[in-house]
């Protein structure tokens, strides 16, 4: 009888061990991103999840749903916050209605180079993390887009050339920019850009060379004015509760992979800028630098928007801008 009990106990222990191992191996997360696979952000994400899979020896796998196939861009923050998915990627500025700190990322003509954008990110990151924490999310990493330029059918030499155009917007800040430029803002997500142009919903946009190439902008515009308005960033965030439920070693693996992804992503963005700008030109788009007159006008718009943002963001915003301008 004792042997029987020992046998049963041993079998139960082995079965429990197998089940525990199986449970660990079956941790599956879904990760929506709005962008197609050819974009450097998505490529970086796939390397990120590959690093996690390798570091955790398959205990945690992340299924990437690219191109807005699982959730539309505006739906991703809520999906992560509510736990519908455990992790996701989004443009920082898309959460501007939740907290003014997220609008900082889309302020034009404040940080117009990679070095400036990186400095602004470092001084603003703590505030972004605080805001995400209140939303039940944890920041993992952030990667920039190339500097933003103006896509248009006609050449742009003066702000008046943008008056009465229908300009693509994708956040509260880009909508405000369109208004100050005398254009009509129309919300259009990245994957919808070609259709929006072909149906006349928009006829101008301010976006990166990456988006211009992925949407084949040469099919509907002739000009790209490289004003380098700002360098918006995407961020990868995780549901705080889902993250805390993971074993500590898995949490550490994610954080380590995120640090590598951020560094790798910034390097990719720098290379992407030159490559995709050249590709625009090679496909027939006239790539031009802005005139001094146009830049003076655009910088004035940027100063107006920064002033408006400082009033909205209060002391937190003033602290960030002061640190950035030191």
């Amino acid at each position: 009888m004792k042997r029987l009990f020992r046998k049963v106990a041993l079998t139960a222990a082995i079965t429990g061990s197998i089940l525990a191992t199986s449970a660990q191996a079956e941790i599956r997360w879904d990760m929506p991103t709005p962008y197609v696979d050819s974009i450097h952000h998505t490529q970086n994400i796939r390397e990120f999840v590959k690093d996690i899979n390798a570091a955790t020896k398959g205990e945690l796998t992340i299924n990437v749903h690219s191109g807005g196939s699982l959730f539309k861009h505006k739906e991703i923050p809520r999906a992560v916050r509510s736990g519908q998915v455990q992790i996701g990627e989004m443009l920082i500025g898309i959460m501007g209605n939740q907290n003014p700190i997220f609008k900082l990322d889309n302020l034009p003509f404040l940080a117009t180079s990679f070095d400036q954008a990186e400095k602004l990110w470092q001084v603003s990151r703590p505030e972004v993390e605080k805001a995400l924490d209140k939303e039940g999310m944890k920041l993992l990493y952030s990667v920039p887009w190339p500097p933003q330029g103006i896509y248009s059918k006609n050449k742009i030499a003066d702000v008046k050339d943008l008056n009465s155009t229908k300009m693509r917007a994708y956040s509260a800040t880009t909508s405000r920019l369109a208004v100050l430029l005398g254009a009509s803002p129309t919300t259009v997500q990245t994957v919808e850009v070609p259709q929006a142009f072909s149906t006349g919903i928009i006829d101008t946009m301010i976006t990166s060379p990456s988006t211009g190439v992925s949407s084949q902008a040469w099919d509907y515009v002739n000009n790209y004015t490289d004003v380098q308005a700002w360098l918006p960033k995407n961020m990868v965030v995780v549901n705080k509760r889902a993250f805390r439920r993971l074993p500590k070693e898995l949490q550490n693996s994610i954080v380590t992979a995120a640090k590598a992804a951020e560094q790798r992503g910034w390097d990719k963005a720098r290379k992407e800028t030159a490559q995709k700008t050249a590709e625009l030109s090679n496909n027939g788009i006239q790539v031009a630098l802005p005139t001094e007159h146009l830049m003076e006008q655009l910088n004035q718009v940027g100063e107006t928007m920064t002033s408006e943002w400082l009033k909205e963001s209060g002391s937190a915003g003033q602290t960030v801008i002061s640190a950035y301008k030191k």
Side-chain angles (χ1 to χ4, degrees):
M1 185 64 71
K2 288 182 179 179
R3 287 182 180 177
L4 179 60
F5 283 145
R6 287 176 183 171
K7 186 176 181 180
V8 171
L10 180 59
T11 301
I14 293 172
T15 301
S17 177
I18 292 172
L19 288 174
T21 302
S22 176
Q24 280 188 320
E26 290 176 359
I27 298 177
R28 300 284 190 272
W29 282 7
D30 287 301
M31 182 177 186
T33 174
Y35 307 103
V36 296
D37 290 320
S38 61
I39 294 293
H40 70 286
H41 287 284
T42 312
Q43 294 169 357
N44 192 41
I45 281 174
R46 294 198 180 279
E47 292 182 60
F48 167 65
V49 300
K50 184 178 179 181
D51 287 347
I52 290 174
N53 186 267
T56 63
K57 297 179 180 178
E59 291 182 21
L60 172 61
T61 59
I62 300 174
N63 186 20
V64 178
H65 302 268
S66 59
S69 57
L70 186 60
F71 289 101
K72 291 183 178 180
H73 196 169
K74 284 191 172 183
E75 297 170 345
I76 294 176
R78 185 182 70 248
V80 177
R81 182 174 58 243
S82 65
Q84 287 178 277
V85 292
Q86 300 84 2
I87 185 172
E89 182 194 31
M90 66 205 71
L91 196 69
I92 293 177
I94 207 168
M95 291 186 64
N97 289 333
Q98 273 69 46
N99 190 306
I101 194 64
F102 298 120
K103 293 182 180 180
L104 173 65
D105 192 63
N106 282 171
L107 284 183
F109 309 106
L110 176 63
T112 58
S113 69
F114 279 100
D115 288 344
Q116 290 175 356
E118 193 165 14
K119 181 180 180 181
L120 184 61
W121 173 235
Q122 294 307 321
V123 299
S124 63
R125 181 171 188 151
E127 293 297 331
V128 171
E129 290 178 326
K130 288 179 187 176
L132 285 171
D133 186 71
K134 291 179 181 178
E135 295 284 331
M137 293 182 278
K138 174 182 173 62
L139 175 70
L140 292 180
Y141 71 87
S142 179
V143 168
W145 290 87
Q148 309 287 283
I150 303 173
Y151 291 81
S152 59
K153 293 182 179 179
N154 302 315
K155 291 184 179 181
I156 305 297
D158 190 287
V159 166
K160 290 181 180 178
D161 296 330
L162 294 168
N163 290 175
S164 302
T165 61
K166 292 174 284 188
M167 182 174 287
R168 176 201 175 209
Y170 51 81
S171 67
T173 310
T174 53
S175 291
R176 176 59 177 157
L177 174 60
V179 170
L180 289 174
L181 293 175
S184 300
T186 304
T187 301
V188 175
Q189 303 309 320
T190 303
V191 294
E192 301 167 340
V193 166
Q195 183 179 5
F197 268 102
S198 65
T199 56
I201 293 175
I202 57 173
D203 50 33
T204 56
M205 65 178 177
I206 300 180
T207 193
S208 69
S210 302
T211 300
V213 170
S214 69
S215 61
Q216 297 185 330
W218 46 85
D219 288 338
Y220 40 81
V221 297
N222 303 314
N223 294 274
Y224 176 71
T225 309
D226 192 9
V227 297
Q228 300 190 18
W230 71 96
L231 287 77
K233 295 180 295 297
N234 289 354
M235 59 181 174
V236 171
V237 299
V238 62
N239 178 279
K240 213 165 47 168
R241 183 176 297 178
F243 183 79
R244 288 175 177 172
R245 285 175 175 171
L246 293 176
K248 191 66 177 178
E249 60 270 20
L250 296 191
Q251 294 181 18
N252 292 338
S253 294
I254 293 173
V255 171
T256 299
K259 288 180 180 178
E262 181 155 314
Q263 180 61 57
R264 182 176 59 238
W266 280 77
D267 292 341
K268 282 180 178 289
R270 285 180 166 89
K271 295 175 183 176
E272 178 93 350
T273 301
Q275 292 171 353
K276 294 303 170 70
T277 302
E279 196 166 342
L280 290 175
S281 180
N282 292 339
N283 280 280
I285 288 184
Q286 296 296 312
V287 176
L289 294 175
T291 64
E292 288 186 13
H293 173 66
L294 177 60
M295 283 309 304
E296 287 176 2
Q297 292 177 310
L298 293 176
N299 283 326
Q300 289 175 2
V301 171
E303 289 172 5
T304 296
M305 292 187 67
T306 298
S307 296
E308 291 176 347
W309 181 78
L310 284 170
K311 291 178 182 178
E312 183 182 6
S313 60
S315 59
Q318 188 61 62
T319 298
V320 169
I321 295 299
S322 297
Y324 171 65
K325 292 188 174 180
K326 279 185 180 179

